[in-house]
Amino acid sequence: MALFLLVFPGGYRMSVRTRFAPSPTGFLHIGGARTALFCQLHTRRLGGTFILRIEDTDRERSTQAAVDAILEGMHWLGLDPDEGPFFQSDHTQLYLDAAQRLVDEGKAYRCYCSRESIDALRETQRQQQIKPRYDGRCRTRSAFPADQPYVIRFKTPTEGVTAWEDQIQETIRFPNDELDDLILVRSDGSPTYNLAVVVDDHSMGITLVIRGEDHISNTPRQIHLFQALGWPVPEYAHMPLLHGSDGSKLSKRHGAVSVLQYREDGFLPDALNNYLVRLGWSHGEQELFTRQEMQQLFDIRQVGRSAAIFNLDKLLWINGHHIRTATPEQLLPALSQQLDMLGFGVVEPERLLRIIPEFQSRAKTMVEMAEKVRFLFVDSVLPYDEKAAQKHLYPCAPQALITLQQALAQLEEWQAEVIDQCFRQVVAQLQMEMGKLAQPVRVALTGTASSPGIHDTLFLLGRDKSLQRLQEAIGHMQK
RNA sequence: GUCCCCAUCGUCUAGUGGCCUAGGACGCCGGCCUCUCACGCCGGCAACACGGGUUCGACUCCCGUUGGGGACGCCA
């Protein structure tokens, strides 16, 4: 694998190559997305290469559906890799060759211990309150019965300390005698995670491994493998984990964690990324970032070391901000989709483009926007929201609405400005307060007590529906 | 249990020995704006886990305690 050299002002420097390596045993969740985001951001700033590698060495649990979900989730978030996706299942021979080489060099050995005997061993160790681990009893075995299954284990160094300078966690050290002889190849002949990771990280020229800190305890084992294989050890950056509201590692029982669920729920990819990037990383007191700003500013070495708890309220606020600052055109597809799901079919884009600006500051999600915009598409808003009708509609004199309706009916053009003028004239003529007329009208038009400015609401609803709903309300009041 | 990691408002964080009477943001409360709801603006509540050191001086450095998390698979 070629390593690329880039010239930097300060001299020669190896181009950074990073990878995101999910296992396809489920959807892409929000914690994984954050890891991928940090990885991509850091790599982009340095002009390096971001690689996607699917770790499917567990054939039992890996599924195509999970692969698809991961790819779709990453694409939605703009986390497309520069290289890949690569699949570990395509590299099996490479892993097996490496394992064989270690056996040949006396750095790994066949172990014939049964699962049962090892389970028993671990159980007694647990009872003695020491760390459960394989005791290496097959290290010195000389008989290799041909008809019995075996695994290949790595001869972990028994003395010394393995340490590395983590880019986030600083120095981490493990006494080697804490580690046992890990399995490289299973009894069915398939390679395991730790072997595959090391072989791939080397063959793909990975220079920096960015991953969750739940992998910290794997790192000394992987470093041993790099060393045994005579390969350079990459740098590491272990990210603090994302926790659920109960303070534990985020998992399915914490509810909506699939990235695609956030799309369903009306979140914008830029907003989700913005929220995620602020979990463990900051740039002074800045809260809001565009994608470009993140790419220019993000540095993995500035990531904090403590875990963060996922907080929906802040995500909602950030999503609201991104909805407000987006162009109507950018929001069009998401709103169309939401309306379609509400059963309104396909709405003309031109109409939606007029509607969107009036609702951008009023919705924290696209789902919420679809709900607020709903009254524009239904045939009738009856029954009215009971509280709204009681408070605003029923106390109003029907004559006021009749006067307004007649005035509006005479308008030659149905434009927001003209409507506003007309409305104010009626208010003046009736010697009413603006709100005393706007609120009942609002209930008549929307069925609720809140909407955009009353003239905008009338305009967006259109002449026919507006007049019809006023008529409907007048009838309702006179009952 | 063993090993590894972490510890500032409820949450995300700023803070790298004096600038801290600890700053910002979300949320919450109050107000302003206003035809409603939002947006926006102004104000308020709210934190350095604890105990020892080191130092003229600790949120900041060291040690311990407590608390939390992670790992301990023929999963990744």
Side-chain angles (χ1 to χ4, degrees), chain A residues 174-210:
Chain A
F174 277 86
N176 288 338
D177 61 14
E178 281 296 325
L179 276 21
D180 63 359
D181 290 349
L182 70 157
I183 293 176
L184 264 20
V185 180
R186 302 185 184 99
S187 54
D188 67 357
S190 65
T192 60
Y193 163 77
N194 279 297
L195 206 218
V197 165
V198 167
V199 172
D200 272 341
D201 282 343
H202 174 256
S203 70
M204 298 166 90
I206 301 302
T207 61
L208 205 214
V209 173
I210 296 175

Short mmCIF file of all heavy atoms in Angstrom, two decimals, chain A residues 174-210:
data_model
loop_
_atom_site.label_atom_id
_atom_site.label_comp_id
_atom_site.label_asym_id
_atom_site.label_seq_id
_atom_site.Cartn_x
_atom_site.Cartn_y
_atom_site.Cartn_z
N PHE A 174 -0.52 -0.04 30.15
CA PHE A 174 -1.05 -1.31 30.65
C PHE A 174 0.11 -2.23 30.99
O PHE A 174 0.96 -2.47 30.13
CB PHE A 174 -1.88 -2.01 29.57
CG PHE A 174 -3.30 -1.53 29.46
CD1 PHE A 174 -3.62 -0.43 28.68
CD2 PHE A 174 -4.32 -2.19 30.13
CE1 PHE A 174 -4.93 0.01 28.56
CE2 PHE A 174 -5.64 -1.76 30.02
CZ PHE A 174 -5.93 -0.65 29.24
N PRO A 175 0.13 -2.75 32.19
CA PRO A 175 1.12 -3.80 32.49
C PRO A 175 0.77 -5.01 31.62
O PRO A 175 -0.39 -5.41 31.57
CB PRO A 175 0.88 -4.11 33.97
CG PRO A 175 0.03 -2.99 34.49
CD PRO A 175 -0.73 -2.44 33.34
N ASN A 176 1.74 -5.60 30.96
CA ASN A 176 1.45 -6.72 30.07
C ASN A 176 0.89 -7.93 30.79
O ASN A 176 0.16 -8.73 30.22
CB ASN A 176 2.71 -7.12 29.29
CG ASN A 176 3.04 -6.08 28.23
OD1 ASN A 176 2.16 -5.32 27.81
ND2 ASN A 176 4.29 -6.03 27.82
N ASP A 177 1.22 -8.08 32.08
CA ASP A 177 0.73 -9.26 32.78
C ASP A 177 -0.77 -9.16 33.10
O ASP A 177 -1.35 -10.06 33.68
CB ASP A 177 1.56 -9.57 34.04
CG ASP A 177 1.52 -8.42 35.04
OD1 ASP A 177 0.67 -7.53 34.88
OD2 ASP A 177 2.36 -8.42 35.96
N GLU A 178 -1.38 -8.05 32.72
CA GLU A 178 -2.82 -7.93 32.86
C GLU A 178 -3.55 -8.61 31.70
O GLU A 178 -4.75 -8.85 31.75
CB GLU A 178 -3.23 -6.45 32.87
CG GLU A 178 -3.03 -5.75 34.19
CD GLU A 178 -3.90 -6.33 35.27
OE1 GLU A 178 -5.04 -6.75 34.96
OE2 GLU A 178 -3.43 -6.40 36.41
N LEU A 179 -2.80 -8.81 30.63
CA LEU A 179 -3.41 -9.31 29.39
C LEU A 179 -3.24 -10.82 29.25
O LEU A 179 -2.26 -11.38 29.71
CB LEU A 179 -2.73 -8.63 28.19
CG LEU A 179 -3.20 -7.25 27.73
CD1 LEU A 179 -3.94 -6.47 28.78
CD2 LEU A 179 -2.03 -6.46 27.18
N ASP A 180 -4.20 -11.47 28.60
CA ASP A 180 -4.02 -12.90 28.35
C ASP A 180 -3.75 -13.16 26.87
O ASP A 180 -3.61 -12.23 26.09
CB ASP A 180 -5.22 -13.70 28.88
CG ASP A 180 -6.51 -13.33 28.15
OD1 ASP A 180 -6.48 -12.46 27.27
OD2 ASP A 180 -7.54 -13.94 28.48
N ASP A 181 -3.66 -14.44 26.53
CA ASP A 181 -3.35 -14.80 25.15
C ASP A 181 -4.63 -14.80 24.31
O ASP A 181 -5.44 -15.72 24.39
CB ASP A 181 -2.70 -16.20 25.11
CG ASP A 181 -1.29 -16.17 25.71
OD1 ASP A 181 -0.77 -15.06 25.95
OD2 ASP A 181 -0.73 -17.26 25.93
N LEU A 182 -4.80 -13.76 23.52
CA LEU A 182 -6.06 -13.63 22.80
C LEU A 182 -6.15 -14.57 21.59
O LEU A 182 -5.13 -14.98 21.03
CB LEU A 182 -6.27 -12.18 22.34
CG LEU A 182 -5.38 -11.65 21.23
CD1 LEU A 182 -6.05 -10.51 20.53
CD2 LEU A 182 -4.04 -11.23 21.79
N ILE A 183 -7.37 -14.89 21.24
CA ILE A 183 -7.60 -15.76 20.08
C ILE A 183 -7.49 -14.97 18.79
O ILE A 183 -8.07 -13.89 18.65
CB ILE A 183 -8.98 -16.43 20.21
CG1 ILE A 183 -8.97 -17.40 21.39
CG2 ILE A 183 -9.36 -17.15 18.92
CD1 ILE A 183 -10.29 -18.05 21.68
N LEU A 184 -6.71 -15.50 17.87
CA LEU A 184 -6.51 -14.87 16.56
C LEU A 184 -7.42 -15.52 15.52
O LEU A 184 -7.98 -14.86 14.65
CB LEU A 184 -5.05 -15.06 16.13
CG LEU A 184 -3.99 -13.98 16.37
CD1 LEU A 184 -4.36 -12.99 17.45
CD2 LEU A 184 -2.64 -14.62 16.61
N VAL A 185 -7.49 -16.85 15.59
CA VAL A 185 -8.30 -17.61 14.64
C VAL A 185 -9.20 -18.56 15.42
O VAL A 185 -8.74 -19.28 16.31
CB VAL A 185 -7.41 -18.43 13.67
CG1 VAL A 185 -8.27 -19.21 12.69
CG2 VAL A 185 -6.46 -17.49 12.92
N ARG A 186 -10.48 -18.53 15.10
CA ARG A 186 -11.45 -19.38 15.81
C ARG A 186 -11.32 -20.84 15.38
O ARG A 186 -10.67 -21.14 14.37
CB ARG A 186 -12.88 -18.91 15.52
CG ARG A 186 -13.16 -17.47 15.90
CD ARG A 186 -14.64 -17.16 15.67
NE ARG A 186 -14.89 -15.75 15.94
CZ ARG A 186 -14.97 -14.81 14.99
NH1 ARG A 186 -14.85 -15.13 13.72
NH2 ARG A 186 -15.17 -13.54 15.33
N SER A 187 -12.00 -21.69 16.12
CA SER A 187 -11.91 -23.12 15.80
C SER A 187 -12.54 -23.44 14.45
O SER A 187 -12.26 -24.49 13.87
CB SER A 187 -12.55 -23.96 16.92
OG SER A 187 -13.86 -23.51 17.17
N ASP A 188 -13.39 -22.55 13.94
CA ASP A 188 -13.94 -22.81 12.60
C ASP A 188 -13.04 -22.23 11.51
O ASP A 188 -13.38 -22.21 10.34
CB ASP A 188 -15.36 -22.25 12.49
CG ASP A 188 -15.38 -20.71 12.54
OD1 ASP A 188 -14.30 -20.09 12.72
OD2 ASP A 188 -16.46 -20.13 12.40
N GLY A 189 -11.88 -21.73 11.93
CA GLY A 189 -10.92 -21.23 10.95
C GLY A 189 -11.10 -19.77 10.57
O GLY A 189 -10.40 -19.26 9.69
N SER A 190 -12.03 -19.09 11.20
CA SER A 190 -12.25 -17.68 10.84
C SER A 190 -11.45 -16.75 11.75
O SER A 190 -11.25 -17.04 12.93
CB SER A 190 -13.74 -17.35 10.91
OG SER A 190 -14.20 -17.46 12.25
N PRO A 191 -10.98 -15.64 11.20
CA PRO A 191 -10.17 -14.69 11.98
C PRO A 191 -11.04 -13.87 12.93
O PRO A 191 -12.22 -13.68 12.68
CB PRO A 191 -9.57 -13.78 10.91
CG PRO A 191 -10.57 -13.82 9.79
CD PRO A 191 -11.16 -15.20 9.82
N THR A 192 -10.44 -13.39 14.02
CA THR A 192 -11.19 -12.56 14.97
C THR A 192 -10.85 -11.09 14.77
O THR A 192 -9.91 -10.72 14.06
CB THR A 192 -10.84 -12.93 16.43
OG1 THR A 192 -9.44 -12.72 16.62
CG2 THR A 192 -11.20 -14.37 16.73
N TYR A 193 -11.63 -10.30 15.47
CA TYR A 193 -11.54 -8.84 15.37
C TYR A 193 -10.14 -8.27 15.52
O TYR A 193 -9.67 -7.52 14.67
CB TYR A 193 -12.47 -8.24 16.44
CG TYR A 193 -12.21 -6.79 16.75
CD1 TYR A 193 -12.64 -5.80 15.87
CD2 TYR A 193 -11.55 -6.42 17.90
CE1 TYR A 193 -12.41 -4.47 16.14
CE2 TYR A 193 -11.31 -5.09 18.18
CZ TYR A 193 -11.73 -4.12 17.30
OH TYR A 193 -11.49 -2.81 17.58
N ASN A 194 -9.47 -8.60 16.62
CA ASN A 194 -8.18 -7.96 16.88
C ASN A 194 -7.14 -8.23 15.79
O ASN A 194 -6.34 -7.36 15.45
CB ASN A 194 -7.65 -8.39 18.25
CG ASN A 194 -8.29 -7.60 19.38
OD1 ASN A 194 -8.14 -6.39 19.46
ND2 ASN A 194 -9.06 -8.28 20.22
N LEU A 195 -7.18 -9.43 15.24
CA LEU A 195 -6.25 -9.76 14.16
C LEU A 195 -6.60 -8.96 12.91
O LEU A 195 -5.75 -8.32 12.29
CB LEU A 195 -6.39 -11.26 13.83
CG LEU A 195 -5.27 -12.09 13.22
CD1 LEU A 195 -5.80 -13.09 12.23
CD2 LEU A 195 -4.12 -11.28 12.63
N ALA A 196 -7.90 -9.00 12.55
CA ALA A 196 -8.35 -8.34 11.33
C ALA A 196 -8.06 -6.84 11.37
O ALA A 196 -7.60 -6.25 10.39
CB ALA A 196 -9.85 -8.58 11.14
N VAL A 197 -8.30 -6.23 12.52
CA VAL A 197 -8.07 -4.79 12.66
C VAL A 197 -6.61 -4.45 12.39
O VAL A 197 -6.30 -3.52 11.64
CB VAL A 197 -8.45 -4.33 14.08
CG1 VAL A 197 -7.88 -2.94 14.36
CG2 VAL A 197 -9.94 -4.33 14.26
N VAL A 198 -5.74 -5.22 12.99
CA VAL A 198 -4.31 -4.91 12.86
C VAL A 198 -3.83 -5.10 11.42
O VAL A 198 -3.13 -4.25 10.86
CB VAL A 198 -3.49 -5.78 13.84
CG1 VAL A 198 -2.01 -5.71 13.52
CG2 VAL A 198 -3.76 -5.31 15.27
N VAL A 199 -4.24 -6.21 10.82
CA VAL A 199 -3.81 -6.47 9.45
C VAL A 199 -4.34 -5.38 8.52
O VAL A 199 -3.61 -4.85 7.67
CB VAL A 199 -4.29 -7.86 8.98
CG1 VAL A 199 -4.02 -8.06 7.49
CG2 VAL A 199 -3.60 -8.96 9.80
N ASP A 200 -5.60 -5.02 8.68
CA ASP A 200 -6.18 -4.00 7.81
C ASP A 200 -5.60 -2.61 8.07
O ASP A 200 -5.30 -1.87 7.14
CB ASP A 200 -7.70 -3.95 7.99
CG ASP A 200 -8.41 -4.93 7.06
OD1 ASP A 200 -7.77 -5.36 6.07
OD2 ASP A 200 -9.57 -5.26 7.32
N ASP A 201 -5.47 -2.26 9.34
CA ASP A 201 -4.92 -0.94 9.63
C ASP A 201 -3.54 -0.81 9.00
O ASP A 201 -3.17 0.26 8.51
CB ASP A 201 -4.87 -0.67 11.14
CG ASP A 201 -6.25 -0.31 11.69
OD1 ASP A 201 -7.14 0.04 10.88
OD2 ASP A 201 -6.45 -0.38 12.92
N HIS A 202 -2.82 -1.90 8.98
CA HIS A 202 -1.51 -1.85 8.35
C HIS A 202 -1.61 -1.82 6.83
O HIS A 202 -1.02 -0.97 6.17
CB HIS A 202 -0.65 -3.05 8.76
CG HIS A 202 0.66 -3.10 8.03
ND1 HIS A 202 0.90 -3.97 6.99
CD2 HIS A 202 1.78 -2.33 8.15
CE1 HIS A 202 2.12 -3.75 6.51
NE2 HIS A 202 2.66 -2.76 7.20
N SER A 203 -2.39 -2.74 6.27
CA SER A 203 -2.42 -2.83 4.81
C SER A 203 -3.10 -1.61 4.18
O SER A 203 -2.83 -1.26 3.04
CB SER A 203 -3.13 -4.11 4.37
OG SER A 203 -4.51 -4.02 4.63
N MET A 204 -3.97 -0.94 4.94
CA MET A 204 -4.62 0.23 4.39
C MET A 204 -3.85 1.51 4.72
O MET A 204 -4.29 2.60 4.37
CB MET A 204 -6.05 0.32 4.94
CG MET A 204 -6.90 -0.88 4.53
SD MET A 204 -8.45 -1.03 5.44
CE MET A 204 -9.51 -0.10 4.43
N GLY A 205 -2.74 1.36 5.38
CA GLY A 205 -1.90 2.52 5.66
C GLY A 205 -2.50 3.50 6.65
O GLY A 205 -2.26 4.72 6.56
N ILE A 206 -3.30 2.99 7.58
CA ILE A 206 -3.93 3.87 8.57
C ILE A 206 -2.85 4.47 9.48
O ILE A 206 -2.03 3.74 10.04
CB ILE A 206 -4.94 3.07 9.42
CG1 ILE A 206 -6.01 2.45 8.54
CG2 ILE A 206 -5.55 3.97 10.50
CD1 ILE A 206 -6.81 3.43 7.71
N THR A 207 -2.86 5.79 9.62
CA THR A 207 -1.86 6.43 10.47
C THR A 207 -2.44 6.85 11.81
O THR A 207 -1.70 7.06 12.77
CB THR A 207 -1.28 7.69 9.80
OG1 THR A 207 -2.34 8.62 9.57
CG2 THR A 207 -0.63 7.33 8.47
N LEU A 208 -3.76 7.01 11.86
CA LEU A 208 -4.40 7.47 13.10
C LEU A 208 -5.70 6.72 13.29
O LEU A 208 -6.57 6.77 12.41
CB LEU A 208 -4.69 8.97 12.98
CG LEU A 208 -4.82 9.89 14.18
CD1 LEU A 208 -5.85 10.98 13.91
CD2 LEU A 208 -5.15 9.19 15.48
N VAL A 209 -5.80 6.04 14.40
CA VAL A 209 -7.03 5.30 14.71
C VAL A 209 -7.88 6.14 15.66
O VAL A 209 -7.48 6.40 16.79
CB VAL A 209 -6.70 3.94 15.35
CG1 VAL A 209 -7.98 3.25 15.83
CG2 VAL A 209 -5.95 3.06 14.37
N ILE A 210 -9.03 6.60 15.16
CA ILE A 210 -9.96 7.35 16.01
C ILE A 210 -11.15 6.43 16.29
O ILE A 210 -11.79 5.94 15.36
CB ILE A 210 -10.44 8.64 15.30
CG1 ILE A 210 -9.26 9.58 15.06
CG2 ILE A 210 -11.54 9.32 16.12
CD1 ILE A 210 -9.61 10.82 14.26
#
